[in-house]
Amino acid sequence: NDGSECSSGSRDRDDSSWKRKKVKRVDDEEELGSRKKVKLWMADQKFANDPTSCCDPVESSSSSQQLPSYTMSLKVLDKLGPKSLFDSHCHLDFIMFWRAPHMELESFDQFVHAYPLMGHSSLEGFITNFCAPKLWMEHLVSPSPLIHSLLSRPSVFYTIGCHPHFARELLISRNYKQLELLIEKAGSSCVAIGECGLDNGNKNNVKMSDQVEVFKLQIKLAIRMNKPLVLHIRGAEEEAISAMEQVGVPADWPIHRHCWNDEWTVCQAWLDKYPSSVVGITPLVTFPRTAELQKVAKLVPLNRL
């Protein structure tokens, strides 16, 4: 994979939007290796529609189990052994383009050099989700060297879709046409469509009818392209299942139900209805007053995680 599979345009096209200055490399690798935490610089600017913060847990009145504190460090990772971790859902585009623009990256190697945990032998690979149309329109249609260097790694897989927070953007016909082209031209490293779905949380100001329309468009596209789905469903379980039934999603369709944030009974019903789906448990399980989510983590079969 040379990274070209993510593009519907030419790599040689003169696209100045991705040209960035070289970042100054950190020479003291010993200092980097001894850091106890990876601290990502956070921009002062608040992204109101940033979906990385939209999966708030369903709080429970019952007390949750007190989990031990830990720090993800190189010392901890060294104990795990090679290729023992795989991140099934992340958003490197948000980090590189929205949260760390000061790094002015030209290649993914520079990012790994700055944050060496990303290059540790215990990390087998990851799936990065391109779910903001503004970002994949800019960076996948005519890929920058940074995106090429990211997607050309054999350990990197990706998805393309539209998060419900950005649903209005996919109602623009040219954006949806571009999504179709990106999926059609994508190779095997593009493993799913999404994340997509419905979000009735107070951080989403897109009306539900628009979300449902865009959700259905992506479901139909996934079925037509024979691609699995990555779903984000928050506070809209009935509406989401209704939309999936109307479109005709087969019961055995491969689905990653990302960031589960509901009760175990709801989870059990979902797993029964879609037996080829898996659910994702995020760090929300470590939050206070999340006994219901901890119950899900305890009861869900390991082969459905």
Side-chain angles (χ1 to χ4, degrees):
N1 176 17
D2 63 0
S4 60
E5 65 180 47
C6 67
S7 171
S8 65
S10 169
R11 181 176 179 177
D12 297 329
R13 185 184 302 170
D14 185 14
D15 180 8
S16 61
S17 65
W18 54 258
K19 293 178 181 177
R20 299 173 180 274
K21 297 177 182 178
K22 289 186 177 180
V23 67
K24 181 180 179 182
R25 289 182 175 268
V26 181
D27 295 323
D28 192 351
E29 294 189 11
E30 182 178 351
E31 178 187 352
L32 283 171
S34 65
R35 289 180 182 175
K36 296 299 183 182
K37 291 183 179 180
V38 171
K39 295 183 178 179
L40 290 177
W41 175 85
M42 301 295 287
D44 291 334
Q45 180 182 5
K46 300 298 182 181
F47 299 102
N49 284 334
D50 183 356
T52 59
S53 61
C54 64
C55 286
D56 294 333
V58 174
E59 293 195 353
S60 172
S61 57
S62 56
S63 60
S64 57
Q65 179 182 347
Q66 183 65 39
L67 300 176
S69 60
Y70 71 95
T71 297
M72 184 57 73
S73 65
L74 292 176
K75 184 177 180 181
V76 171
L77 293 178
D78 287 340
K79 297 179 180 179
L80 298 179
K83 296 185 177 181
S84 55
L85 297 174
F86 189 95
D87 190 340
S88 63
H89 190 102
C90 61
H91 295 276
L92 282 176
D93 55 335
F94 293 164
I95 296 172
M96 294 188 298
F97 300 120
W98 280 354
R99 293 192 167 186
H102 69 295
M103 294 183 69
E104 298 182 320
L105 298 168
E106 280 195 330
S107 75
F108 190 66
D109 288 341
Q110 292 175 336
F111 184 80
V112 175
H113 184 83
Y115 301 111
L117 294 187
M118 292 294 298
H120 196 273
S121 61
S122 63
L123 180 61
E124 181 178 10
F126 53 85
I127 301 172
T128 183
N129 287 244
F130 291 93
C131 64
K134 285 182 180 178
L135 285 178
W136 48 251
M137 286 286 286
E138 179 178 358
H139 297 287
L140 290 186
V141 173
S142 182
S144 65
L146 171 58
I147 291 297
H148 271 282
S149 67
L150 169 66
L151 299 184
S152 64
R153 290 187 166 221
S155 61
V156 176
F157 303 88
Y158 68 102
T159 74
I160 313 175
C162 182
H163 191 281
H165 282 201
F166 308 125
R168 291 193 193 96
E169 296 175 27
L170 210 63
L171 291 175
I172 302 172
S173 60
R174 67 175 180 273
N175 290 354
Y176 178 74
K177 289 292 185 183
Q178 192 60 67
L179 175 62
E180 286 184 310
L181 288 173
L182 287 170
I183 299 296
E184 287 173 358
K185 293 178 178 294
S188 58
S189 292
C190 180
V191 295
I193 290 178
E195 67 186 273
C196 58
L198 304 176
D199 190 320
N200 202 29
N202 57 18
K203 295 181 181 179
N204 190 14
N205 58 11
V206 180
K207 63 182 181 180
M208 184 56 65
S209 59
D210 287 346
Q211 293 186 53
V212 170
E213 181 179 351
V214 169
F215 185 32
K216 287 181 177 180
L217 284 174
Q218 293 177 89
I219 296 173
K220 292 176 183 177
L221 183 60
I223 294 174
R224 177 157 58 89
M225 300 291 186
N226 196 31
K227 289 285 189 182
L229 284 162
V230 178
L231 299 188
H232 169 107
I233 300 171
R234 172 174 169 77
E237 192 77 12
E238 293 182 4
E239 294 90 339
I241 291 177
S242 175
M244 294 170 71
E245 289 176 342
Q246 290 173 32
V247 173
V249 178
D252 61 350
W253 200 260
I255 299 170
H256 175 195
R257 177 73 184 266
H258 160 63
C259 190
W260 187 268
N261 58 10
D262 213 323
E263 300 177 352
W264 166 243
T265 54
V266 180
C267 182
Q268 197 170 25
W270 172 270
L271 294 174
D272 290 343
K273 186 172 181 64
Y274 297 103
S276 293
S277 68
V278 295
V279 299
I281 303 294
T282 73
L284 293 178
V285 74
T286 66
F287 286 19
R289 300 186 300 280
T290 56
E292 283 296 331
L293 190 54
Q294 290 185 8
K295 183 178 180 180
V296 171
K298 290 177 181 178
L299 296 179
V300 66
L302 289 178
N303 65 347
R304 306 297 298 277
L305 275 174

